[in-house]
Each structure stands twice: as C-alpha cells, then as structure tokens.
Amino acid sequence: MPNLPTLAAVSAPYSDEDIRRRLDACPKLPSLESINRQLTSLVNSEQSLTSQIADIIRRDPSLSARLLRMVNSVYFGLSANVSSIEEAVFFLGLRQLRELSRATPVIEDLTRLQSSTRFGADLWKNLWNHSIGTAMLTREILASAPITVNDETDYLVGLLHNLGKIIMAYAFPEELMAVASTPLGTAAEVCALERELIGWDHAQIGGYYLERHHLTEELVFAVRYHNEPDHAPRQQILAAAVQVAECLVRHSGIAGGFEQIAPVAEDSWQNLPGWKILYGADAAESKLARASLQNTLLRLPAMLGGLI
C-alpha cells in the first residue's frame, strides 16, 4: 500500500455541491443499466435449453472463464475438470448461473474503473470476495423474509452494497486512504469517519451513484441504508438483509478490503437493527434463522471459489 496520509493532512468535509460534482464526473457503468439481458432472459425461462444458454455464454470470454473456474472449484468437488461450457452450465444450475451472469459484467465494469485508482489488487480482491459473499447471504436471508423478490434484486443489493467505496477510490482517493489507515471498531465507526473526512459516507455515495444510473428504488435504498436500515423510509427489509449479511461475512473472516475493522464477535449480528427488522422479538424464528445462516457460513469460502 502507498504511503497513507494522516487524518490531520486531509481537508475538511466538502459541500454537498462539491461531492455531487466529483461523483458526477465518475464514469458511467453500462452493466448497471443493461446486465446481460439476453442471457438473463434465457436463464429465467423454464423452457431454456442448456445448449442455448451455453451458446450465449461462449460469446463472453470473461463470463466463460469465470463459469469454468467456479464449476471446477472445490465447492463442486468434481473428480475431473470440466472444460465444456455446456457441461459447466449443467453442473452449476440456473440459480447460480443467474448470479454469475449478474455479477460478471458488474465486476468487469468496476474493475476497469478501479484500475485507474492507486489501490493495490489485493485490496480489490478482498472487496469483491466480501461483496459476492454478502450477495449470497443476502439472497439466503431474503428467501425466508415476508417479501417477494421476482428478479435478481436480492443478489444485486448485496453485490453492490459497497459500491460507494469503489467510487470513493476514484473521486476521493486521499480520504479513502486515510480511512484505510485508521484502525476502527465497527462499520458504524467507518461511516462516521467517512462523513468526517468527506461529508458523506460510502453508503450515501453508492446510493447517489446508483440513482444517477436510474436504477430501481429497491437497489438505491438498500445500498443507501444498508448500515442503518431502521432509518430507511422504504425498503427496510432489503437494507436489513444486507446489513446482517455483511456482518456475517465479516465474521467468517472475509473483510471489506479497505478499512481495518476489529473482528466481528459471534452472534453480535443479533443486536443489529437489521436483525430486529427481519426477525423481531420472535425467539423461535431468530433461532431457526441463526442455525440456517451458520450452515451457509461454513460453506461460504468454497462457494466463493472461482468467482474472483
């Protein structure tokens, strides 16, 4: 990591107008406006043939490589390597293929954006592992929530929850390096420091950026309020699921990539506003949710194999 500026060396917070001007200068990301529409249409169709899906995937070298890495990872435990796209689609299944088709173009777009920043590759890899892990757990949590998610929103809100950090690396690099150099206790302390140095935290920056891309209210609000879902005027359950998922991923040892946060203690997520929004005071439901999520956490490192 490069020499990091001290907190004292970083200027006072910017005005809202200055912040918006910097964020508006960030490149737009085509993947946020059109995420593999043709492939998504196919994998959402019960009548789709594996050969049709494989044919579309072959046209995208990045998606093809990611698919083969994932299906040959330790998670699937296959006795022989898979080299055929059609065979890989068969082993992966439509649900995980939907996740992969959503994640790949977003990651590729943001990788091009982050390549123009001064942060190292290891930090970005950690960030993406954390983001994809959060996406997987957010989907798992929302599967038992009292809302219906008909598209890939449940996965995308987890994948994009830390988008603001990537945008900060482009628009506010000195401030992000100052945050990265400061040991902190919780995610809330990270947000407080970001607001102290910039005026907005990464959640507000990410929410604003998504709004600029004209994404849905569900995505914008879930990203904007994922650290304080109880403050969200709407979409509280989505934001709550992301907050709990993000905390669980940190507990599993997959940090966010930039900030130095103390390890998350087991069961501390049950004290989060998000947990209370999702499960309330129902002890039996809370116990069932905890057992299910613990099982997913054990499988998470293998599930991430091949994605990054």
Side-chain angles (χ1 to χ4, degrees), residues 31-291:
S31 61
L32 295 181
E33 297 168 3
S34 173
I35 304 176
N36 277 15
R37 285 198 182 99
Q38 190 177 7
L39 177 58
T40 300
S41 175
L42 267 181
V43 298
N44 283 336
S45 170
E46 296 298 329
Q47 287 75 41
S48 296
L49 297 175
T50 299
S51 58
Q52 290 178 293
I53 297 172
D55 186 53
I56 291 177
I57 292 174
R58 288 190 192 97
R59 303 174 201 167
D60 185 334
S62 175
L63 181 57
S64 297
R66 206 176 294 273
L67 170 64
L68 291 172
R69 285 204 307 271
M70 185 175 185
V71 82
N72 285 308
S73 71
V74 65
Y75 178 62
F76 287 90
L78 302 179
S79 57
N81 275 3
V82 172
S83 57
S84 158
I85 295 295
E86 192 165 334
E87 192 178 358
V89 169
F90 172 79
F91 279 115
L92 196 63
L94 292 185
R95 175 177 168 175
Q96 285 183 294
L97 187 57
R98 281 197 294 269
E99 294 175 359
L100 194 62
S101 69
R102 286 293 190 177
T104 294
V106 175
I107 292 173
E108 295 301 318
D109 256 359
L110 292 174
T111 299
R112 284 189 287 272
L113 176 61
Q114 71 199 32
S115 66
S116 62
T117 71
R118 61 183 79 174
F119 293 86
D122 286 345
L123 291 177
W124 293 117
K125 183 175 181 179
N126 290 341
L127 178 70
W128 282 120
N129 271 318
H130 176 87
S131 297
I132 294 174
T134 300
M136 291 175 170
L137 278 170
T138 299
R139 167 164 278 177
E140 190 101 0
I141 290 166
L142 287 171
S144 60
I147 63 171
T148 301
V149 183
N150 293 319
D151 53 19
E152 299 303 300
T153 297
D154 53 351
Y155 187 82
L156 283 174
V157 292
L159 182 69
L160 296 173
H161 76 285
N162 275 341
L163 171 66
K165 294 182 182 179
I166 298 173
I167 304 305
M168 284 170 63
Y170 186 91
F172 298 98
E174 299 295 332
E175 289 76 14
L176 183 57
M177 283 195 285
V179 172
S181 69
T182 307
L184 297 163
T186 65
E189 291 179 16
V190 172
C191 292
L193 180 56
E194 289 168 348
R195 290 191 293 269
E196 179 184 333
L197 297 175
I198 297 173
W200 293 9
D201 60 31
H202 69 272
Q204 187 172 359
I205 288 171
Y208 175 81
Y209 190 81
L210 291 174
E211 191 172 27
R212 273 187 64 227
H213 279 75
H214 308 292
L215 267 73
T216 64
E217 177 185 284
E218 289 89 347
L219 279 168
V220 172
F221 276 52
V223 169
R224 169 66 183 87
Y225 294 101
H226 74 268
N227 288 311
E228 43 184 13
D230 49 328
H231 292 173
R234 293 181 298 281
Q235 311 301 337
Q236 281 199 351
I237 291 178
L238 278 174
V242 176
Q243 184 187 43
V244 173
E246 196 266 351
C247 184
L248 285 161
V249 171
R250 287 189 185 279
H251 172 69
S252 75
I254 304 172
F258 288 102
E259 64 276 354
Q260 302 176 45
I261 299 184
V264 175
E266 186 165 358
D267 288 337
S268 61
W269 45 86
Q270 295 186 57
N271 298 320
L272 293 171
W275 188 272
K276 294 176 174 61
I277 290 170
L278 291 165
Y279 307 112
D282 188 330
E285 186 177 0
S286 182
K287 186 175 181 180
L288 284 172
R290 181 185 181 280

